[in-house]
Amino acid sequence: MTASLEQLRRCHFAVDLGAARTRVYVKGAGLVVDQPSAAAVNTRTGALIAVGEFAERMTGRTPHYIRVVRPVSGGTVVDIEMAQRMLRHLIGDKIRRQLRRKPFLRAAACTPHDADPLAQRAAIETLVGLGSRRVELVDTLIAAAVGCGLPVERPEATMIMVCGAAATQVAVLSLGSIVTAERIPVGGEAVDHAIVQHLRHEHELMLPSQSVRPLQLALSGNGLTAQGPACTEIHGRDVATGLARTVQVDTAAVRDAIETPLTAVLDGIGRVLRECPPDLVADLADRGIMMVGGSALLPGFDQMLRQATGMPVHIAERPDICAAQGLGAMLEGKIQPLTLDPLGA
């Protein structure tokens, strides 16, 4: 974690800029923004038409002069100006006026574990453009662990897996810091892409962009488990003719297509455990893995990890907002720092 708890207590608001959703926590008010990280722009005039949920619904449905953009990719801000415009509209005038009254406005932001200096600078510049005089950076893994209630300050090991849209981060924590961590470039978007490619190759069917979500597609709530219907009905567009078509899809084949990118996550967990000290691995045999992030809700993903690792796997109560909740707990001073006083001679 880059910032100390004392520095975070002085912050007035915190932002979790994710590839899929943006969340803003204001000190004393709680979580005030939880919207998709999307903005619709008129390319003729440069005007911002919509942000958040409305812009997300416009994806794939706009005329040629309206473009839906995503200023955040893989947890990194790739378009600082658009990210600032999106945040201004998401936060709203009322809250922005309240924040501007602060004499020395401070903000906190989540950054991926292996974020390079350019990515960190982009996050800082985004919040400075909103009026922040100082920006503290917090590792997403630490924030998510605090948000889901893991005892990160204790000497026992805890393992957390942040399942994001563009990447999955796995780490072992102890004594309030990261012992070993790994970032796997596989997330919910890779699962979506695997489903799209499977249906295109096997059934010559193109899906609407709004129908790609694996939680709603072809699995009927049974996810990666074998229980459930053998086939399901999918609506889409025929690749050759362009006409609407309905096909019966074998759910077992869809499960196989989903499991292919997820094997990279299993490999990443294996690398983290191999680099971890044996004493901490022994703790993990009892405590297991805590899953957070929006992609952790993929039905059957936890069972797949349980079978592959032989360790207990738990999903946080609200896995999608754990990082924002962790930032909020640090801002509100709910987390007590671990003090290690030097021993006298």
Side-chain angles (χ1 to χ4, degrees):
M1 182 168 56
T2 309
S4 67
L5 288 174
E6 185 59 36
Q7 291 171 322
L8 289 171
R9 287 195 189 99
R10 300 174 184 173
C11 293
H12 302 99
F13 73 103
V15 178
D16 177 20
L17 274 170
R21 298 186 74 87
T22 293
R23 297 173 178 93
V24 179
Y25 187 101
V26 176
K27 192 173 185 178
L31 192 65
V32 297
V33 174
D34 184 3
Q35 295 278 341
S37 303
V41 183
N42 187 325
T43 56
R44 293 173 177 171
T45 64
L48 197 63
I49 297 174
V51 295
E53 295 280 1
F54 189 31
E56 178 90 350
R57 291 199 301 269
M58 293 171 67
T59 303
R61 302 172 182 270
T62 60
H64 66 91
Y65 61 89
I66 296 178
R67 185 164 59 99
V68 178
V69 298
R70 294 185 176 275
V72 185
S73 176
T76 302
V77 179
V78 294
D79 188 337
I80 295 176
E81 181 184 356
M82 186 56 63
Q84 291 173 351
R85 295 174 68 186
M86 181 186 73
L87 278 172
R88 288 193 193 102
H89 284 80
L90 289 176
I91 292 174
D93 293 337
K94 181 180 179 181
I95 297 176
R96 284 171 53 207
R97 283 195 297 268
Q98 294 174 357
L99 293 175
R100 280 200 296 264
R101 296 193 188 105
K102 308 295 181 183
F104 193 89
L105 185 62
R106 294 172 179 258
C110 278
T111 56
H113 173 66
D114 59 349
D116 56 38
L118 287 177
Q120 295 178 1
R121 187 67 187 173
I124 292 172
E125 289 292 336
T126 300
L127 297 187
V128 167
L130 294 178
S132 301
R133 303 288 297 276
R134 183 180 176 88
V135 180
E136 308 290 353
L137 299 181
V138 183
D139 197 303
T140 302
L141 291 164
I142 296 289
V146 171
C148 65
L150 289 178
V152 294
E153 74 283 353
R154 297 175 60 181
E156 292 85 4
T158 54
M159 190 171 191
I160 187 165
M161 185 168 73
V162 180
C163 308
T168 300
Q169 300 178 71
V170 184
V172 175
L173 311 176
S174 181
L175 292 173
S177 61
I178 296 173
V179 178
T180 179
E182 182 85 15
R183 184 178 184 271
I184 306 107
V186 173
E189 293 175 353
V191 174
D192 295 348
H193 182 71
I195 295 175
V196 170
Q197 291 300 107
H198 169 76
L199 294 177
R200 186 184 181 97
H201 293 156
E202 298 297 325
H203 301 277
E204 297 183 350
L205 191 75
M206 291 184 65
L207 291 179
S209 58
Q210 303 295 323
S211 302
V212 180
R213 295 291 104 186
L215 296 178
Q216 305 168 0
L217 174 69
L219 300 176
S220 302
N222 297 285
L224 306 180
T225 60
Q227 297 83 18
C231 61
T232 187
E233 197 174 77
I234 299 296
H235 308 282
R237 190 182 74 185
D238 189 279
V239 173
T241 65
L243 300 176
R245 187 160 64 92
T246 301
V247 297
Q248 293 290 331
V249 177
D250 181 13
T251 53
V254 175
R255 284 196 298 272
D256 292 340
I258 289 176
E259 287 179 0
T260 301
L262 294 182
T263 53
V265 177
L266 299 178
D267 294 340
I269 293 174
R271 288 193 295 271
V272 169
L273 292 175
R274 283 193 295 271
E275 296 173 5
C276 191
D279 291 340
L280 295 182
V281 176
D283 292 342
L284 297 175
D286 297 327
R287 296 175 178 270
I289 305 171
M290 178 65 76
M291 297 176 64
V292 302
S295 299
L297 297 172
L298 177 64
F301 192 14
D302 56 336
Q303 183 175 335
M304 176 184 173
L305 294 178
R306 202 174 292 119
Q307 292 174 349
T309 62
M311 297 165 55
V313 178
H314 315 282
I315 301 177
E317 184 177 353
R318 289 292 307 278
D320 50 338
I321 62 171
C322 280
Q325 286 180 329
L327 284 174
M330 295 176 189
L331 262 62
E332 303 286 359
K334 297 179 181 178
I335 307 299
Q336 296 299 321
L338 176 68
T339 55
L340 298 175
D341 298 325
L343 299 176

